[in-house]
Amino acid sequence: MNLRPYYPVLRGTSLLRGMRDDELDKMLDCFAPRVRRYQKGEFLMLAGYETREVGILLEGSITALKNTPDGSSVAITEMSTGGLFGDVLSGSSTKSPVSVMAQTDCLAVYLPYEKIIHPCARLHESHLQLLQNLVLTISNKYFALDRRVELLICKSLRVRISLWLLEQADEAGQDTFAVPLTRAGLAEYLNCDRSALSRELGRMQREGLIETFRGSFKILDKERLRSQCQE
């Protein structure tokens, strides 16, 4: 498959950030990546299996799910176009603890991990940059996981919501932002009941802290929202 139309997506990822077309040409020629389409509800990765590929989402959105002892699942994270998955797991012999499911119809490209960490004989300069990007990507995911743990250990749902909203605003660079999560998906992400989440968001809106509209949020009083996190 010709991946050139997706070069803007590839160079927008943390793994291939900033690479020129000619550099991507050389790299993909060396890697001979696998490309696959998925329908909504299909699994891109299953818990309990090893993976030796780094996946890049070219189209659509996906959710990483963690199974719980009672047989249900909790959404760990959601990714849209340009999202990376399998980059941490592919460097380990440990079986995947999570499953990755297509939230919409998807297109993904898979780079063999062995070829990422073992440059070819030509030792392209771009491949060295790729290795640096991989280390940075894994480090960033570690700190993202740390923030998620910090969020989940909060006993108060109000605090969890406040922390999440502030983090989303920081990532968006503005106080009005859209999120890919549905209300049900957000409830899973915050590990709470959907009706409880809706009630709390309603209270926060009535108190003048936020405004909500479908998949968008607007923070009206950031200082008061920060103070909620101290309670």
Side-chain angles (χ1 to χ4, degrees):
M1 178 178 178
N2 178 21
L3 291 174
R4 269 189 161 256
Y6 297 99
Y7 278 11
V9 175
L10 293 175
R11 71 167 57 93
T13 66
S14 57
L15 187 64
L16 301 170
R17 179 166 294 146
M19 291 195 178
R20 304 186 308 270
D21 284 5
D22 62 305
E23 292 174 322
L24 289 172
D25 285 340
K26 292 177 182 176
M27 197 168 301
L28 294 176
D29 182 58
C30 285
F31 289 175
R34 180 171 66 92
V35 182
R36 183 175 168 186
R37 288 193 178 275
Y38 298 87
Q39 293 183 338
K40 179 180 179 180
E42 278 194 89
F43 284 94
L44 288 74
M45 183 186 300
L46 284 172
Y49 291 84
E50 292 183 20
T51 178
R52 299 298 294 171
E53 295 176 311
V54 177
I56 301 175
L57 195 62
L58 300 177
E59 296 176 6
S61 61
I62 57 176
T63 302
L65 303 167
K66 173 74 173 178
N67 293 331
T68 60
D70 64 2
S72 61
S73 61
V74 176
I76 302 299
T77 187
E78 298 222 356
M79 296 182 190
S80 54
T81 299
L84 248 66
F85 58 97
D87 46 315
V88 177
L89 293 169
S90 56
S92 169
S93 59
T94 303
K95 294 179 174 62
S96 174
V98 300
S99 295
V100 177
M101 186 179 70
Q103 287 284 67
T104 64
D105 291 350
C106 294
L107 177 67
V109 59
Y110 295 89
L111 308 180
Y113 186 79
E114 290 301 317
K115 291 189 177 181
I116 293 177
I117 62 172
H118 295 115
C120 69
R122 286 174 283 179
L123 196 65
H124 305 301
E125 181 179 342
S126 55
H127 202 140
L128 297 179
Q129 181 63 52
L130 176 68
L131 291 173
Q132 294 176 10
N133 289 350
L134 178 63
V135 173
L136 181 61
T137 297
I138 293 174
S139 298
N140 287 340
K141 286 200 171 183
Y142 167 81
F143 287 109
L145 178 61
D146 182 68
R147 291 194 300 273
R148 178 77 195 284
V149 171
E150 180 182 351
L151 184 150
L152 290 178
I153 62 177
C154 295
K155 294 182 179 179
S156 164
L157 178 56
R158 172 69 68 99
V159 173
R160 269 181 271 165
I161 294 172
S162 299
L163 283 172
W164 180 80
L165 287 168
L166 291 169
E167 183 177 299
Q168 296 302 306
D170 285 344
E171 289 182 3
Q174 55 185 12
D175 291 344
T176 301
F177 49 88
V179 297
L181 292 168
T182 62
R183 194 58 56 87
L186 180 56
E188 285 187 6
Y189 187 80
L190 296 176
N191 195 26
C192 66
D193 181 76
R194 180 179 176 178
S195 58
L197 172 65
S198 295
R199 285 195 300 271
E200 197 61 54
L201 287 172
R203 292 191 193 102
M204 294 173 77
Q205 188 160 243
R206 289 192 295 273
E207 292 172 18
L209 291 169
I210 61 172
E211 284 182 358
T212 65
F213 180 74
R214 295 183 180 175
S216 298
F217 292 87
K218 181 177 182 180
I219 296 178
L220 301 176
D221 193 333
K222 187 173 281 187
E223 290 308 310
R224 281 179 61 202
L225 200 63
R226 286 198 181 100
S227 71
Q228 305 285 311
C229 301
Q230 308 302 320
E231 297 178 359

